[in-house]
């Protein structure tokens, strides 16, 4: 398996533009996570899905952020409108189903810069 | 409250010196603890998990339930160990992983 695949790897956009980040989890994994990594706050969980259903979105910063998982092999994280403070690395991760006692596998991240 | 605490943001040691990265946790149930490592501009990857009780790249970590700690140790640091290290917790019956804020380890020549 190629692992968790994220796109784009790097994105530079202007404030106010819409940003869409994409993720393909590892085949067979039914838990998917979106994390944001910044120098100030470290690694923050934004949202996680189980069987394509959002289970906990309490980490989503505000209404400008939205996430979807239309099927088991694809998820998106959208920011609209984007702001400079959204600049961060966004990681997608997936894990195997087994009552939570599983390793979580990360993608390589999407490096977002909002100018 | 569920929480993972890594008190040190940065730890600098000389090559060949022992390393200990601290991790304390707060969890009401039976947690599983992990250490993840992130080399420069790469993805986070699993270093080790307490349930497997193995040594990876010379690193070990012992779960101390009395002190609610899961410190990461290595007797002799190498320059290639320089990276960001995250302690994480997962609870039985949940799908949620809680990460600490990370400790950056710098191994000096």
């Amino acid at each position: 398996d190629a692992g968790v695949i994220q796109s784009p790897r790097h994105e530079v956009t202007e404030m106010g533009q819409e940003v869409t980040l994409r993720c393909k989890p590892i085949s067979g994994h039914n838990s998917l996570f979106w994390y944001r990594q910044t120098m100030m706050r470290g690694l923050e969980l934004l949202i996680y899905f189980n069987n394509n259903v959002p289970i906990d979105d309490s980490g989503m910063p505000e209404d400008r952020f939205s996430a979807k998982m239309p099927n088991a092999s694809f998820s998106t994280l959208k920011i609209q409108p984007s702001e400079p403070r959204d600049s961060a690395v966004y990681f997608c991760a997936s894990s195997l189903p087994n009552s939570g006692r599983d390793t979580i596998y990360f993608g390589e991240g999407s490096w977002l810069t909002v100018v | 409250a569920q929480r993972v605490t890594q008190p040190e943001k940065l730890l600098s040691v000389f090559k060949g010196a022992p390393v200990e990265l601290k991790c304390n946790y707060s969890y009401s149930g039976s947690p599983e603890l992990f250490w993840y490592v992130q080399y420069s501009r790469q993805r986070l990857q699993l270093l080790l998990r307490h349930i497997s009780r193995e040594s990876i790249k010379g690193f070990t970590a012992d779960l101390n339930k009395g002190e609610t700690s899961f410190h990461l140790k290595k007797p002799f640091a190498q320059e290639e160990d320089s990276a960001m290290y995250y302690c994480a917790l997962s609870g039985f019956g949940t799908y949620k992983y809680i990460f600490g804020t990370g400790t950056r380890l710098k191994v000096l020549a």
Side-chain angles (χ1 to χ4, degrees):
Chain A
D1 200 312
V4 177
I5 299 173
Q6 291 186 245
S7 65
R9 289 294 314 279
H10 300 272
E11 173 125 0
V12 180
T13 191
E14 290 186 345
M15 183 172 64
Q17 296 298 305
E18 177 179 292
V19 174
T20 298
L21 308 178
R22 299 173 179 80
C23 175
K24 181 181 188 304
I26 292 173
S27 177
H29 286 193
N30 71 353
S31 290
L32 183 138
F33 309 80
W34 282 100
Y35 286 88
R36 178 171 67 177
Q37 184 183 43
T38 61
M39 290 286 289
M40 293 296 293
R41 294 182 176 163
L43 203 59
E44 304 173 275
L45 176 64
L46 300 178
I47 185 170
Y48 77 92
F49 294 85
N50 185 42
N51 292 324
N52 313 337
V53 176
I55 303 299
D56 183 352
D57 64 355
S58 59
M60 296 285 265
E62 48 198 273
D63 292 345
R64 297 184 298 107
F65 285 68
S66 62
K68 293 182 180 179
M69 192 166 185
N71 57 62
S73 59
F74 183 67
S75 177
T76 59
L77 177 68
K78 189 174 291 187
I79 309 172
Q80 167 62 20
S82 58
E83 297 182 3
R85 61 192 167 122
D86 301 330
S87 298
V89 185
Y90 291 83
F91 286 103
C92 178
S94 68
S95 70
L96 279 165
N98 190 18
S99 301
R101 292 184 180 275
D102 303 288
T103 302
I104 183 171
Y105 295 85
F106 283 82
E108 293 187 307
S110 291
W111 298 69
L112 174 65
T113 302
V114 183
V115 297
Chain B
Q2 302 171 13
R3 187 167 52 244
V4 175
T5 302
Q6 293 179 251
E8 302 141 328
K9 280 190 177 294
L10 173 66
L11 182 64
S12 296
V13 300
F14 284 102
K15 178 181 173 181
V19 173
E20 183 179 52
L21 300 170
K22 291 184 168 50
C23 172
N24 288 89
Y25 67 90
S26 172
Y27 190 76
S28 57
S30 179
E32 182 166 2
L33 277 297
F34 307 81
W35 277 99
Y36 280 79
V37 60
Q38 184 183 28
Y39 300 103
S40 180
R41 300 180 76 83
Q42 294 184 25
R43 73 179 78 200
L44 280 80
Q45 51 189 290
L46 179 69
L47 182 61
L48 53 81
R49 54 197 297 183
H50 92 268
I51 200 169
S52 57
R53 301 186 64 81
E54 56 191 342
S55 172
I56 305 293
K57 299 184 179 182
F59 285 97
T60 59
D62 290 318
L63 180 61
N64 186 322
K65 292 185 178 180
E67 296 182 357
T68 60
S69 68
F70 188 57
H71 303 326
L72 183 68
K73 299 178 183 179
K74 185 170 182 177
F76 307 104
Q78 303 298 315
E79 288 182 74
E80 56 265 30
D81 296 329
S82 296
M84 193 75 173
Y85 291 81
Y86 287 94
C87 183
L89 172 158
S90 175
F92 183 84
T94 77
Y95 295 89
K96 198 167 183 175
Y97 290 78
I98 301 167
F99 283 81
T101 49
T103 297
R104 182 168 298 282
L105 174 65
K106 283 190 176 180
V107 181
L108 308 171

